[in-house]
Amino acid sequence: MDTGGLGGHPRGLTTLFFTEMWERFSYYGMRALLILFMVKTAADGGLGYDTKKAAAIFGTYTMSVYLLSILGGFIADNFIGARRAVLVGGIIIAAGHFTMAINSEVTFFAGLVLIAMGTGLLKPNISTMVGSLYTPADERRDAGFSIFYMGINLGAFLSPLVTGWLAQSAGWKSLLSGWGLNPLHCWHWGFAAAGVGMTLGLIVYVLQRERLAHVGRAPAPEADGSRPWGKLGVVALGSLTLIAAMKACDTYPALVYVLFALQIAAILFFAFKPDTDSKRIAAILVFFFAAEIFWAIFEQTGSTISLFADELTRNEFLGYSFPSSWWQSVNSVWVILLAPVFAYLWIKLGARQPSSPAKFALGLLFVALSFVLMVPAAKLTAEGRVGPMWLVALFFLQTVGEMLLSPVGLSTMTKLAPPRLLGLVMGIWFLAAALGNKLAGVLAGDFKSTNAGELATFFWHQALAVGACTLVLFALVPWVRKLMGGVH
């Protein structure tokens, strides 16, 4: 047993911790700037897109990151192994950020494509490698994932502070002018900083590669030396088709209702089959539906809430002004503060804690309440910019919802999945996040900062819709528990 690392954990955990921390630094650092850069006019160094177009691009990009994780996992499992997938993915991500550092609309979109492709390779496979460091019975396993998760949030916290300062601060623009450089290109310095973060992660990964020599190896080919190229083509085509289909929601929003109808039909189809596995798949699809709705609100952090922070909030603390993109760090602060609280709560409650479907319903309730909170905040914008505590409270409510749904969902998927379908079920979990991200982009397209009444209605309608889903899920808790067939 490898106990030579931090706190008696395998040495490879430290390597993966810092690699993932810097990868998340790059992802969230760029994401904090993305929609702001798109809606800013050319006079402010941006692309000058309207909110609807910018939100649609944002949603398609964040959806693609999650959808391509299914393809990235398949490539690692069947061709190159997790260890090499993480390296290749990191290189592609860094190339994408540095491409976005070039002041051009073409390089902007090329960079987004590269980052989505690279993240699809890296994201699922680095988590796989963390699990591979431990045997299934190793008591350090859960603690190891908790440490790894803290690295994710540390990177997500630090990155907007760095990239946001480079992209938005008057001090940095003044420095650029003093050096004879165009201050309007400050956004691209932020994108470049995200690339530097990923590069640092790659350096750690390569220098300490011997710690991971025993995990993430490339799989052996079939007995005849072949690889499943045909299946790879099907997975790639399926991923690209789904991305294209969801992108069509930008033009035809009614497709969202078709998507929901298909999901409900699938739940009922499996629920009324007699075998246990089918009923558990129905339960998985209920969780999928709930997670999709949750992410559709939660992931507006980078679009709707980013615009609200930039255009309608007094970004001041103790008399000091700060860039609006710094708000993207607040969720990570709440995660770091609340994660130990929830861990203690579940241990304290033991068998008395809410069931998994009840926790999902509570997660939806808190994310709905976060948008209820924004209704009076939106109305107050008629009198000018609102105070920062509105957004602090919003992020608190959403993070409580995240603590109730995200880690619980991941654990529940692994328990409910039939052994032969575990990989597929984990892909379904990624798909819920992907579709939720795209729906977030579709919804954010209706954000308008110029009319306080319309803005309040915008938040209220979404809160009501999620509130209705919450009530339905609470009512279905006994039925879903029955479908789970004894899994808690």
Side-chain angles (χ1 to χ4, degrees):
M1 182 185 292
D2 182 359
T3 59
L6 183 66
H9 285 271
R11 292 185 307 149
L13 180 64
T14 308
T15 303
L16 296 176
F17 173 95
F18 284 108
T19 304
E20 178 70 348
M21 185 192 79
W22 285 115
E23 186 275 327
R24 291 290 88 183
F25 178 99
S26 72
Y27 177 78
Y28 284 105
M30 187 277 283
R31 198 190 76 152
L33 311 180
L34 189 53
I35 201 162
L36 298 177
F37 172 69
M38 286 191 281
V39 300
K40 293 296 183 183
T41 64
D44 291 321
L47 295 177
Y49 295 164
D50 62 35
T51 300
K52 198 166 193 69
K53 180 178 180 179
I57 293 168
F58 184 91
T60 299
Y61 162 70
T62 53
M63 171 189 68
S64 300
V65 165
Y66 285 96
L67 257 181
L68 292 174
S69 292
I70 300 172
L71 177 59
F74 185 88
I75 290 171
D77 289 344
N78 295 279
F79 291 88
I80 63 176
R83 191 167 66 235
R84 190 176 299 171
V86 169
L87 177 62
V88 173
I91 292 170
I92 295 172
I93 291 169
H97 286 300
F98 290 128
T99 300
M100 292 179 72
I102 301 169
N103 182 32
S104 157
E105 194 169 6
V106 172
T107 53
F108 171 76
F109 284 105
L112 288 181
V113 171
L114 287 170
I115 296 166
M117 290 170 57
T119 308
L121 271 174
L122 187 148
K123 186 174 177 60
N125 293 306
I126 196 167
S127 298
T128 299
M129 290 176 70
V130 174
S132 299
L133 294 172
Y134 304 90
T135 64
D138 194 328
E139 294 180 353
R140 302 172 299 166
R141 186 184 182 91
D142 287 351
F145 270 101
S146 296
I147 293 169
F148 181 72
Y149 191 62
M150 199 58 67
I152 291 173
N153 284 285
L154 186 58
F157 164 69
L158 293 172
S159 56
L161 304 181
V162 175
T163 62
W165 186 80
L166 292 171
Q168 292 183 290
S169 73
W172 177 247
K173 291 177 184 177
S174 177
L175 279 174
L176 290 177
S177 297
W179 295 338
L181 300 173
N182 189 344
L184 294 182
H185 294 170
C186 55
W187 298 97
H188 301 285
W189 285 87
F191 295 144
V196 170
M198 186 66 257
T199 302
L200 290 172
L202 285 169
I203 291 170
V204 170
Y205 189 73
V206 171
L207 290 179
Q208 299 182 351
R209 61 189 179 276
E210 76 283 350
R211 296 182 175 185
L212 304 168
H214 61 297
V215 296
R217 296 188 183 97
E222 299 293 329
D224 60 359
S226 64
R227 298 282 187 184
W229 293 102
K231 289 182 180 178
L232 174 63
V234 171
V235 174
L237 182 62
S239 298
L240 294 174
T241 300
L242 192 50
I243 289 172
M246 288 303 298
K247 192 175 185 308
C249 293
D250 300 335
T251 309
Y252 307 104
L255 288 175
V256 172
Y257 298 106
V258 175
L259 176 70
F260 288 155
L262 289 173
Q263 291 173 32
I264 293 170
I267 290 169
L268 295 175
F269 174 79
F270 285 105
F272 291 104
K273 283 195 164 193
D275 60 292
T276 301
D277 281 354
S278 292
K279 292 184 182 299
R280 287 181 177 175
I281 289 172
I284 286 169
L285 292 175
V286 172
F287 291 129
F288 174 97
F289 190 91
E292 184 182 5
I293 298 298
F294 178 87
W295 297 123
I297 302 298
F298 184 91
E299 288 296 343
Q300 289 183 58
T301 296
S303 50
T304 297
I305 303 306
S306 182
L307 294 170
F308 189 96
D310 188 62
E311 300 171 13
L312 299 170
T313 305
R314 290 196 308 274
N315 298 311
E316 300 173 352
F317 181 72
L318 299 178
Y320 292 95
S321 299
F322 58 87
S324 63
S325 50
W326 283 15
W327 282 108
Q328 299 299 307
S329 291
V330 176
N331 169 245
S332 294
V333 174
W334 281 124
V335 168
I336 292 168
L337 292 175
L338 290 175
V341 175
F342 274 88
Y344 173 78
L345 180 64
W346 300 144
I347 293 171
K348 187 74 174 175
L349 289 174
R352 294 179 291 114
Q353 64 184 280
S355 64
S356 295
K359 287 177 182 176
F360 263 66
L362 288 168
L364 283 180
L365 174 63
F366 274 94
V367 83
L369 289 175
S370 74
F371 267 31
V372 171
L373 177 74
M374 294 305 291
V375 174
K379 290 180 178 178
L380 286 173
T381 62
E383 302 169 12
R385 289 177 177 255
V386 299
M389 291 309 296
W390 290 101
L391 292 186
V392 172
L394 170 127
F395 281 113
F396 170 77
L397 291 171
Q398 292 198 346
T399 306
V400 170
E402 181 187 5
M403 292 290 99
L404 286 161
L405 184 140
S406 185
V408 173
L410 196 58
S411 174
T412 304
M413 292 298 111
T414 60
K415 292 177 186 175
L416 286 173
R420 69 184 188 282
L421 297 177
L422 182 57
L424 176 63
V425 169
M426 295 314 296
I428 287 173
W429 183 247
F430 276 121
L431 182 59
L435 299 184
N437 271 269
K438 182 55 191 171
L439 290 176
V442 172
L443 294 169
D446 293 326
F447 177 88
K448 294 181 178 66
S449 61
T450 54
N451 185 308
E454 287 184 6
L455 186 57
T457 302
F458 167 83
F459 285 115
W460 182 238
H461 282 175
Q462 292 188 62
L464 283 178
V466 179
C469 291
T470 303
L471 292 175
V472 170
L473 187 55
F474 270 123
L476 292 176
V477 165
W479 182 63
V480 177
R481 291 182 66 183
K482 188 176 178 181
L483 289 175
M484 293 169 71
V487 172
H488 299 288

